[in-house]
Amino acid sequence: KRVPSTCYIIKHGYSGGREDELRQRARSLGVEHAVEFVGFSEATTMADYYAAADVCVSVASSDSSPKSVLEAMASGTPVVLTDLPWVHEHIRDGQEALLVPPRSAEALAEAIVRLLTDPTLRERMGATGRQMVLQHADYEHSMARMERLCRALLAGQPLDLGDSG
């Protein structure tokens, strides 16, 4: 109601699941016209979704690090995440993402509205999130670091676990 122009894309990677329940919920709330459900998408299509999005939401209820979160952040899209242990490795609330308690619809709605109504925050958080991914989740960087650690182990050298590149 506070941002009536909002369109939602519900992305899921499973067959069926809760889609019927979610469709019914959208109908009961009178927002079915603003909700699109999409299933499997190729990487190029996902890049288009991220580019078009003002906000990406990932509200897992268990501790995992979804690749989609890193993809969204890498594309500069600000994210709202469930506050789970994995998040705190490189993500700070209000900096790289907005964090909400698990299963708190009210906090989730407030975080989404906050980002949708504050373009300065969206831009800053998108840039900060992208920088975090480039610094800590870049594939080439991570593999080069892993190779250095393996070589040190094989050579019996002390391990440098720092993130200095």
Side-chain angles (χ1 to χ4, degrees):
K1 291 180 180 178
R2 290 170 45 199
V3 189
S5 62
T6 302
C7 297
Y8 297 90
I9 297 173
I10 309 295
K11 172 77 176 92
H12 56 86
Y14 50 87
S15 175
R18 297 184 56 205
E19 184 177 330
D20 290 340
E21 177 186 341
L22 293 172
R23 284 181 187 277
Q24 178 56 38
R25 182 76 171 152
R27 271 192 295 280
S28 73
L29 293 171
V31 296
E32 70 273 16
H33 64 281
V35 180
E36 180 181 348
F37 291 87
V38 297
F40 175 80
S41 299
E42 297 292 337
T44 53
T45 304
M46 287 307 301
D48 292 339
Y49 286 140
Y50 295 133
D54 289 322
V55 178
C56 181
V57 178
S58 179
V59 287
S61 57
S62 63
D63 198 27
S64 65
S65 176
K67 182 172 73 169
S68 60
V69 169
L70 297 176
E71 291 172 348
M73 293 174 89
S75 64
T77 304
V79 296
V80 177
L81 304 172
T82 311
D83 191 356
L84 296 171
W86 77 266
V87 171
H88 297 280
E89 185 174 352
H90 297 296
I91 296 174
R92 299 164 295 170
D93 185 26
Q95 298 298 314
E96 291 79 17
L98 292 181
L99 306 181
V100 298
R103 302 185 186 281
S104 175
E106 296 81 16
L108 176 61
E110 283 302 314
I112 293 170
V113 168
R114 183 176 170 201
L115 282 169
L116 289 175
T117 58
D118 188 340
T120 303
L121 177 63
R122 270 197 326 269
E123 185 176 325
R124 180 182 57 76
M125 196 168 290
T128 306
R130 178 172 166 69
Q131 185 58 41
M132 184 284 299
V133 170
L134 293 174
Q135 184 176 358
H136 297 289
D138 176 80
Y139 179 81
E140 296 299 325
H141 171 82
S142 296
M143 290 301 101
R145 181 173 183 262
M146 184 60 67
E147 182 178 349
R148 286 191 307 278
L149 290 172
C150 288
R151 288 185 186 279
L153 279 172
L154 289 171
Q157 298 171 342
L159 297 181
D160 175 11
L161 299 178
D163 233 359
S164 60

